[in-house]
Amino acid sequence: MVTQKIILDPVTRIEGHLRIDTRVDNGQVIEAWSKGEMFRGFEALLKGRDPLDAPVITQRICGVCPVSHAIASCKAIEAANDLRVPANGRLLRTLVLSANYLQSHILHFYHLSALDFVQVEALLDYSGRDPVLLDLRHWARGELNSNRVLPVAPFLPKLPGDYPGNPEWNLGALGHYVEALDIRQEAHRMAALLGGKIPHTATLVPGGLTLLPEAAVLEDFRTRLRRVKRFIENCYIPDLLRVARLFPAYAETGRGVERYLSYGAFDEADAVWMPAGVVKQDGYAPLDLSLIREETHASFYRGNSQEPPQGAAAPVPQPDKPGAYSWLKAPRYDGLSYEVGPLARLKVAAAAGHRPIAQALAAFLREAGLAEHQLPSTLGRHAARALEAQLIAERMEHWLDQVDPAAPAIAPHQNRMTGTGVGLVEAPRGALGHWITLAAGRIGSYQCVVPSTWNFSPRGQGQDPGPVEAALLGTPINPDFKGLEVARVVRSFDPCIACAVH
Amino acid sequence: MKLTRRTFLKDAGLLLASLGLEPSLLPRMADALEDMAGGRAPILWLQGLSCSGCSVSLLNSESPGPADLITRYLSLYFHQTLSAATGAAAKDAVETAIAKGGYILVVEGAVPLGIKEACKFADENFSEQLLRAARAAQAVVCTGTCAAFGGVPAAPPNLTGAAGVGAALKQAGLARPLINLPGCPTHPAWLVGTLMQVLKSGLPDLDDQQRPTRFYGHLLHEQCPLFAQYQKKHFAQALGEEGCLFKMGCQGVVTQADCSLRGWNGGVNWCVRGRSICIGCARPEFALDPQFAFFRLNENDLY
């Protein structure tokens, strides 16, 4: 069989501008390239600004996970200024972060990914009594009977594929697609209750949060949380289990590099809930930040550098650089690419000896009919994300209980003329780090190493593929589907390209 | 369930209330909604140098809510974050829409006029795709400060030569009816309300920056609940303190937007109610001057 090229350009239903090129031989992917197609230059524009501008500006890297950038930035500045955030500030930040996790995970499963697994046309034959589905059916039929171009957009057209004929699944998932729109919005109201507004919060500043956590606001938050939590338990988790039953082959695709990195996340009053570390074939190891380098050999930036993030100069764009094919840099840990995200967080937590998470993961895998060795897979990533949403929603009540409505959430600001700091957090998509250097009280240098930069990284110095490029290898391809299988593997990583390039 | 006049009247009532418009507009607004539901208001949504924050904000629309918006009112020919179409199907959807024309083009994100390869879609530079799409549009709506005025991507040193859509069209000598809806992100009510008005009565009243006066006609400060504190000179002296935030750097005094009346995320909160400052995210100058810090806390260290 002749080698064939499958190109997905653009990959939609993700954040940002991504193109995936593959070479297919003998019915499977034998080579893949992940190409970030958008660059803005955040690191260059931060230089010379007031340090307190950084949390405001870096949130604008991403409209899906601005909270994570705000927290990473605040922490970097706090480290550089030796500021300690009071317990209330840590807890409230964690609540804003986790509220946005819930909206992000729900958005990802239902609105970005589910359409890859659902036969939308099943709607046209719906004969039940659910008012939401009847409404949708009426709309879809009306669209198809009109002479409009692109009827039933944005749900159609879509790639041809092996969508299941199971009407219960198709209609249930479409109904939950609609309900999930309201639920993710509710999660955003929760984030705004404590964050001021969202996307792009207002109250998260170095030292803590500007607002006073009034008891009535906390109770409002709790009521909304229970609604979101019910949806996760009654819809998200069961739907994930249905996907696992309907698409068992996807437990065998998208394996990846099987190296996982997590910075640890969810600060509690005096501890961190999810532990940090790295996991590879020989087991768990604590995190060593000095092993991180960003490589630019295949990236559209001048020079082939291999720099640690601390103090690195902003990259200089060179779109015509020979051999380069992406605006993403290639982060490496001890010279190797690592996967980040919910799967990595749970793997690291379990390997680090976090027993409740390890037990929940084992139980969930049993329920989904997945063996542990199938966790690194397209399906495994979706499962890890759903389980994480459930675990976080449960933990949030505990964090809420610990907030003291009478105590301040912020430490007084102080500004040093020089210093360095790193702020680490986990975004919904994985490990996020901001590195700052202060010079004469201003930002001397700023570097962001972002989750999708790790996952969607192009080849590095040694021409080694990035995690998604590696995960695509071996994916079975039906040429009639025009790349649907590739899209499914790619989306399981929850790409955020505005983040990845910034 | 069939859509009835009653449904449109109900949604129109909610919309008018959230927009702060007069109840006498109810029948016209219901007409507009019905037109949209009939698929006569196709939207082509393109993303340039963006963070997708305005797309996420659209999904936070309260009345109509996101499900009704997507299925009943907005005919989203193409939206990069929501469309099922991917790869070649996505490119085809955009091309089909452009060939048909007559849509409202919503643009999110700035346009890289310097390094044109800094934003691509289906192997075409976004700056060129934008011109093709704008030529066939009945109107261009720039959602967010990036699309309107450049925003954060255009802050110095502006490596990509990022500019707002208006500037990009002007450079290409292309005149289209254009509306700017700055905000980082745009408030969903500003966007949805504007789309309804464009549909029903053409362009809304715009100021000299092409912003609808309905939403951007007043300084945020004039309607701020802390205005009385400002007059009494009761100022917060540190972050987290009570009082007017003017001395912390609040830009409500120079920002034209109605956040202080409208609130955000269903009105549950907004920046100043959270005791933070207005960072002026809806200002044309937002983020463009590196010497103009958002917070004033470090001024004494510098001068």
Side-chain angles (χ1 to χ4, degrees), chain A residues 10 12-13 15 39 63 139 154 185 202 210, chain B residues 51-52 71 80 84-85 87 118 274 276:
Chain A
T12 58
R13 275 181 288 121
E15 194 300 315
F39 166 77
W139 166 71
Q185 184 174 14
T210 54
Chain B
C51 74
S52 300
T71 61
Q80 195 148 344
S276 193

Side-chain angles (χ1 to χ4, degrees), chain A residues 166-240:
Chain A
N166 178 336
E168 191 198 351
W169 156 248
N170 287 320
L171 294 163
L174 284 169
H176 290 164
Y177 178 106
V178 173
E179 192 177 348
L181 285 168
D182 289 340
I183 296 296
R184 68 142 293 284
Q185 184 174 14
E186 185 77 303
H188 250 184
R189 290 188 202 105
M190 289 162 59
L193 273 172
L194 302 176
K197 84 179 220 300
I198 192 160
H200 309 325
T201 61
T203 64
L204 276 59
V205 293
L209 284 85
T210 54
L211 92 171
L212 200 67
E214 292 169 46
V217 170
L218 297 173
E219 284 315 301
D220 190 358
F221 188 97
R222 192 188 300 274
T223 308
R224 296 172 194 273
L225 169 60
R226 289 189 175 155
R227 180 179 175 216
V228 176
K229 185 160 163 269
R230 271 199 305 277
F231 177 83
I232 292 169
E233 289 164 355
N234 298 334
C235 301
Y236 188 3
I237 297 287
D239 282 340
L240 186 281

